[in-house]
Amino acid sequence: DAKTTQPNSMESNEEEPVHLPCNHSTISGTDYIHWYRQLPSQGPEYVIHGLTSNVNNRMASLAIAEDRKSSTLILHRATLRDAAVYYCILSYSGGSNYKLTFGKGTLLTVNP
Amino acid sequence: GAVVSQHPSRVICKSGTSVKIECRSLDFQATTMFWYRQFPKQSLMLMATSNEGSKATYEQGVEKDKFLINHASLTLSTLTVTSAHPEDSSFYICSVIPGGYEQYFGPGTRLTVT
């Protein structure tokens, strides 16, 4: 599986934007970029995914570099409820059932 | 998205006993479910892929005779930890893929083996 590299931790202030980076220099042309987050003692939650173009949904935006070797998850206005571990994961898009390989993720702390 | 439940949310069992964890897809018929394990302060690790009506596919290093998976219906998969030992104490999480690329996870089951 292609690997991703994320900072161990980041800090943000409430109501400010947060940019969470992810490097995936060995990504292949068929790999989707997924972001999940996990609040303490809960199962992970889907955030967003993309292939080549930038993506927006109600939770966040995903900015993908032109060469696809990196991406950034953008939370437009952080809230205390956004404090979680954020995982950037690559998943092969060729099959019909996608296994996810979780790395260590980025622990996001949101200060009031 | 899909709604996934797990039962129990917490369980404590004695060493040597077996414990069953249920994963239910409440609003979606899931032919495939995934089981993960997460030790404290570590990331999730995929244990197996549960396939409705057929045998589960286990990841390398996961003992299939110790972690029995049954996916007897489109809405229920069970994970049985047999002859549990303290090192099996972990957070067990299941997930489903309703369609497309998003995976939806259950709330997890905290297993403590004493």
Side-chain angles (χ1 to χ4, degrees), chain B residues 77-90:
Chain B
S77 175
T78 60
L79 169 69
T80 301
V81 183
T82 63
S83 186
H85 290 285
E87 55 264 33
D88 298 322
S89 298
S90 188

Side-chain angles (χ1 to χ4, degrees), chain A residues 36 38 46 98-99 102-103, chain B residues 38 43 59 101-103 105:
Chain A
Y36 286 79
Q38 186 178 25
Y46 167 81
Y98 307 102
K99 294 201 292 188
F102 285 79
Chain B
Q38 185 175 32
S43 191
E59 295 299 302
Y101 299 97
E102 301 103 85
Q103 213 167 113
F105 291 81

Side-chain angles (χ1 to χ4, degrees), chain A residues 20-110:
Chain A
L20 296 165
C22 181
N23 286 321
H24 29 79
S25 59
T26 59
I27 190 171
S28 74
T30 52
D31 285 336
Y32 272 83
I33 303 160
H34 300 257
W35 284 82
Y36 286 79
R37 71 181 185 182
Q38 186 178 25
L39 280 66
S41 297
Q42 294 188 29
E45 174 186 28
Y46 167 81
V47 178
I48 202 166
H49 78 276
L51 184 62
T52 55
S53 304
N54 294 342
V55 184
N56 299 298
N57 65 20
R58 63 176 179 79
M59 288 183 70
S61 295
L62 176 59
I64 301 173
E66 199 169 328
D67 63 5
R68 301 211 323 128
K69 293 187 176 182
S70 65
S71 61
T72 302
L73 178 70
I74 303 166
L75 306 179
H76 295 285
R77 288 183 66 191
T79 70
L80 296 178
R81 290 175 295 179
D82 292 322
V85 177
Y86 286 78
Y87 297 99
C88 169
I89 304 168
L90 302 183
S91 180
Y92 174 60
S93 63
S96 57
N97 291 307
Y98 307 102
K99 294 201 292 188
L100 299 177
T101 301
F102 285 79
K104 295 183 178 180
T106 296
L107 174 62
L108 175 65
T109 302
V110 181

Side-chain angles (χ1 to χ4, degrees), chain B residues 2-24:
Chain B
V3 180
V4 182
S5 71
Q6 287 186 235
H7 178 79
S9 57
R10 289 178 177 271
V11 58
I12 300 173
C13 70
K14 292 188 176 180
S15 187
T17 63
S18 296
V19 61
K20 180 185 288 187
I21 301 169
E22 294 184 349
C23 175
R24 292 185 184 273

